[in-house]
Structures are given as structure tokens and as C-alpha cells.
Amino acid sequence: AHPDGPFAAILGAQPSRGARSPRLWDAVYTALGRDWRMLPLDVPAERLADLLAWLDACPGFVGGAVAVPHKQAVAQWLGTARLDASAQGIEAVNALFRDEQGRLRGANTDGLAAAQVLHEGGLTPTDSVLVFGFGGAARAVVNALRGRVARLHVVTRRWEDPATVALARWMGVSLIAPAACGPALEQATVLVNGTVLGSAPAHVGAHPLPTDFTRRARALRLAFDVV
């Protein structure tokens, strides 16, 4: 059964337990005088393709958001031809929309939003940026910042994974194992947490920083948390 009337949705592992998007967008729709709503849709990885096919065929679905951990899987399901330029290359989607022909397409606004906030906070071309994580959101941030700062390093547990290495090479950034991030942390003037650590409901209070963070992060002047 389809919901009554037009609707948006946020897709993720458990958006019903922590996502603020439905409350925010429901207020926007009310302010615009539209009888729309945004639904949190909790979906496990094995049911994601079925849900996407249902949403793609559902005339009332106008689009929405994609949350952890499905950003890359949604991009793969859509295929390159249905990815906006913002999602090309990184193949990670955080936004769904319909084009003029009514086809479901994917875009990525994570990187654009993070870059805007960092630039407003004082990011300069001379900064050395250290990013923790290389999942969907972190990839978008790295893609938006690459070529705009002096140095850009990424700390990831998948630093030896062939596909991850290939993407980093395409972006022109360096991958670092978590246990070896000390020297890069000492050089970093800007720190970005692009991991899920710190997010609700399962990772509140957690972080990716090494135990000697306070001793090493002497040059740090800006910090940004994607969560």
C-alpha cells in the first residue's frame, strides 16, 4: 500500500530512532502550505533494493534523504546514468529526487554543505586537513575539499582495500592507517570526523581520535563533525 498523498522519506538503518529530518521537513511543508510529510524508513541492507524499487515506482514519492549505511549502496542501485554530478566518481548518494522525466536520481550534498561551513569558519588554501573515515559522507567531504587545501589526508581502517586505494588515487589524497595517524595529526590545522562515531543511537559518546590526541593536535584550529 502507498501512503496517502505526496511524501518524502529518509532511508537508513534506523532513522526512526535518531533522524531529525522528518520533523524539520514536516515543518517546512506546513509552512509552504503543502499536505506532504517525510517518513523515516528503517531498512536492512538485504531489503534495500526492494524498497528502492517500490519507491521508484511509487507515484507519491517525491524524493528524500539517504543515511548511514546505505549511501554507497543506493548509488550502486541507481547506476552511473542516474547519478548527479555531485555523486559521480565518489558513488555515494545522500539525496534522492525526481528529474523532469519523473525518473528517480541521486545526488550528494554532504560535501558541498561541509565545504561551505568550513570556508565560513576560516578554511584557507594553506590548511592541512585530516579526515577520519572514508564512507559515503566522508568521501563527499574529501571530494569537495581536494585541490582546495595544502594537504589532505584520510584515516581509514580500509587503507589497504584495493577499491578504496583506487578511489583515493583518483581523488589525489593519501590514506593512513588509524594506528599511524600521529604524524599527520601533528601537522593538521583542520580536523574532520567523517565516521559514524558520535551518532545516535548506537555511537553516542564514541569518537575516532587516538589516545594521544591532545598531545599531538597542537596546530589544530578548526574541527568539523559530519554527524
Side-chain angles (χ1 to χ4, degrees):
H2 294 160
D4 295 330
F7 71 98
I10 175 169
L11 287 58
Q14 295 179 315
S16 67
R17 295 182 58 188
R20 299 176 182 177
S21 302
R23 193 183 312 175
L24 184 153
W25 283 104
D26 284 352
V28 171
Y29 298 146
T30 298
L32 293 175
R34 294 187 178 182
D35 188 20
W36 294 12
R37 55 181 171 150
M38 185 181 222
L39 306 175
L41 299 180
D42 299 356
V43 56
E46 62 270 19
R47 297 296 306 277
L48 180 63
D50 291 338
L51 176 61
L52 289 170
W54 181 79
L55 291 172
D56 197 14
C58 180
F61 179 61
V62 298
V66 181
V68 173
H70 300 320
K71 297 184 180 187
Q72 291 161 254
V74 170
Q76 292 171 359
W77 186 87
L78 287 169
T80 304
R82 288 210 273 176
L83 293 182
D84 184 72
S86 60
Q88 295 281 353
I90 62 173
E91 295 193 349
V93 161
N94 79 322
L96 294 170
F97 66 98
R98 292 200 184 276
D99 61 19
E100 295 177 354
Q101 287 74 43
R103 297 171 300 188
L104 199 62
R105 295 177 59 86
N108 197 309
T109 63
D110 283 330
L112 298 174
Q116 178 179 334
V117 172
L118 284 167
H119 282 296
E120 290 174 353
L123 184 74
T124 72
T126 62
D127 275 311
S128 178
V129 181
L130 183 63
V131 179
F132 283 90
F134 205 40
R139 290 180 179 188
V141 174
V142 171
N143 195 44
L145 295 181
R146 64 189 180 100
R148 300 184 182 184
V149 293
R151 285 182 297 273
L152 183 54
H153 299 294
V154 176
V155 180
T156 174
R157 292 175 298 176
R158 298 176 63 82
W159 64 281
E160 288 185 307
D161 173 69
T164 304
V165 171
L167 179 60
R169 186 176 295 117
W170 176 77
M171 289 184 173
V173 300
S174 301
L175 299 180
I176 303 173
C181 72
L185 185 56
E186 292 176 357
Q187 292 183 349
T189 57
V190 178
L191 189 66
V192 176
N193 174 27
T195 74
V196 297
L197 298 178
S199 65
H203 305 286
V204 175
H207 63 78
L209 303 175
T211 56
D212 59 352
F213 167 75
T214 54
R215 179 175 64 83
R216 290 187 177 273
R218 299 289 179 84
L220 190 64
R221 63 183 192 82
L222 283 176
F224 181 83
D225 195 331
V226 172
V227 170

